[in-house]
Amino acid sequence: MLVSSLCELLKIQYPVFQGGMAWIADAQLASAVSNAGGLGIIAAMNSNGEQLREQIRKAKKMTDKPFGVNLMLMSPYIEEAVQVVCEEHIPVVTTGAGNPSKYMKQLLDAEVKVFPVVASVALAKMMERAGAHGIIAEGCESGGHVGETTTMALVPQVVDAVNIPVIAAGGIADARGLAASLMLGAVGVQMGTRFLTALECNVHENYKEKVLKAKDRDTIVTGKTLGHPVRAIKNNMTREFARKESDSSTTAEELEAMGAGALRLAAVEGDVKNGSCMCGQIAGMVKDEMSCKDIVTSLCRETEKLLNGVSRWVK
């Protein structure tokens, strides 16, 4: 059976986190992943406190297993979200789009285990000093907001730099990715793109179809000039954004306006031409719709087979 220190720390069956994808990772998806033995995560995104509380309480009715919340630090409701997480006794949070140091004491005092998403060794060290229970080292292959370092290069450097558990993220969708991550020193993985096509995922069917049809070079990173690059599937919106971004006469305000609401447009309304289909480079390997249970159990079962066969390389 595939187990790691992460399973013992969080009382989960398998060392698999589901990414906290804004407008996508809701109570239904999170509870399904947790019921499958992984750690499901609800995206707080731009939800106000009561909206987040509603999703948390819905998930509690759908699973008796641990689940977490992703706190997007750029949200205008971040203060409310942190308070709700503490009040609802959420066991684990992941954080993204910023530095969570401001909220660490409040979360730790409420006995919440904090796993910040980082894209650099420097931030990983800072988060360890701030009291984080673990680090999610996310490479630039991932969907959504990305850094500049690949998963293969980032994960082992973070593992060497900190003394807390490291979870690998970015470009992982099958057993080979999980096995490789463990060999790099990680104790588990976080997957977002793989769960986009889960049967329990409520993302619009047009979005799912876009992911299922994606090939290896079908994503693009835009927004570097704004300081927060984003990876998404190429479409009318991303191509126009890239064109305007390369035009020095385009203002930052114009670019920000183009991106505002683009994810919701695709994920909720299904406009995959003019919305943003945030997705990782691994989409080219996601070719089917499966239940969360089948995704998690098959991932870990196949990883066991791979790891048991490692000895054939050593004579």
Side-chain angles (χ1 to χ4, degrees):
M1 180 178 176
L2 182 68
V3 295
S4 79
S5 58
L6 186 67
C7 301
E8 299 168 11
L9 176 65
L10 302 181
K11 296 179 174 57
I12 56 179
Q13 186 175 0
Y14 299 115
V16 179
F17 278 28
Q18 160 245 313
M21 301 167 285
W23 293 109
I24 297 169
D26 59 6
Q28 179 168 306
L29 179 60
S31 61
V33 173
S34 289
N35 285 332
L39 185 79
I41 295 175
I42 295 171
M45 53 170 187
N46 285 323
S47 301
N48 63 37
E50 290 314 304
Q51 290 170 329
L52 176 58
R53 195 188 305 275
E54 180 182 351
Q55 286 295 308
I56 290 171
R57 292 187 174 178
K58 183 177 179 181
K60 286 179 177 178
K61 293 178 180 178
M62 300 174 77
T63 184
D64 59 357
K65 304 291 194 299
F67 65 88
V69 168
N70 174 258
L71 297 172
M72 189 180 77
L73 299 164
M74 292 172 61
S75 168
Y77 301 107
I78 182 61
E79 309 279 347
E80 293 181 32
V82 171
Q83 185 64 34
V84 168
V85 160
C86 295
E87 291 173 354
E88 293 293 329
H89 306 291
I90 297 300
V92 185
V93 300
T94 62
T95 67
N99 180 340
S101 295
K102 178 180 178 181
Y103 309 103
M104 289 295 284
K105 184 179 187 304
Q106 184 178 356
L107 291 166
L108 296 176
D109 285 349
E111 299 184 343
V112 179
K113 293 180 174 64
V114 184
F115 285 75
V117 174
V118 309
S120 71
V121 169
L123 185 55
K125 289 181 175 180
M126 185 185 302
M127 292 300 92
E128 181 180 34
R129 290 194 297 271
H133 292 79
I135 297 293
I136 301 173
E138 184 178 69
C140 60
E141 301 96 322
S142 64
H145 295 275
V146 297
E148 295 186 355
T149 308
T150 65
T151 303
M152 179 67 78
L154 179 66
V155 171
Q157 292 185 72
V158 171
V159 168
D160 288 350
V162 300
N163 295 304
I164 52 178
V166 176
I167 297 167
I172 301 164
D174 69 355
R176 290 169 293 183
L178 174 50
S181 298
L182 296 175
M183 292 301 97
L184 293 174
V187 296
V189 296
Q190 176 172 283
M191 302 189 303
T193 300
R194 185 63 189 93
F195 287 112
L196 282 172
T197 63
L199 295 175
E200 298 90 345
C201 182
N202 285 320
V203 72
H204 199 283
E205 285 300 319
N206 292 350
Y207 200 126
K208 283 191 179 185
E209 185 178 3
K210 198 80 171 170
V211 174
L212 291 168
K213 290 183 176 180
K215 296 186 287 295
D216 59 334
R217 298 183 64 187
D218 280 354
T219 66
I220 184 174
V221 175
T222 58
K224 288 185 178 181
T225 59
L226 296 175
H228 44 83
V230 171
R231 183 180 297 283
I233 296 177
K234 295 174 183 175
N235 62 3
N236 292 353
M237 182 268 181
T238 58
R239 290 188 181 94
E240 180 62 11
F241 196 109
R243 187 189 68 79
K244 285 185 174 294
E245 192 170 23
S246 64
D247 183 347
S248 60
S249 67
T250 306
T251 66
E253 289 73 21
E254 288 179 88
L255 292 174
E256 292 282 7
M258 282 188 69
L263 177 58
R264 185 185 188 283
L265 187 62
V268 178
E269 299 180 26
D271 186 347
V272 294
K273 292 183 178 180
N274 302 301
S276 176
C277 299
M278 294 185 186
C279 182
Q281 286 183 313
I282 206 67
M285 289 177 57
V286 178
K287 297 300 182 185
D288 52 11
E289 293 187 63
M290 299 169 63
S291 69
C292 289
K293 181 177 181 181
D294 286 342
I295 290 172
V296 173
T297 55
S298 63
L299 169 76
C300 295
R301 183 175 60 248
E302 292 302 315
T303 301
E304 287 180 43
K305 290 181 181 178
L306 285 174
L307 295 178
N308 284 330
V310 166
S311 60
R312 70 191 178 99
W313 297 106
V314 182
K315 301 299 182 183

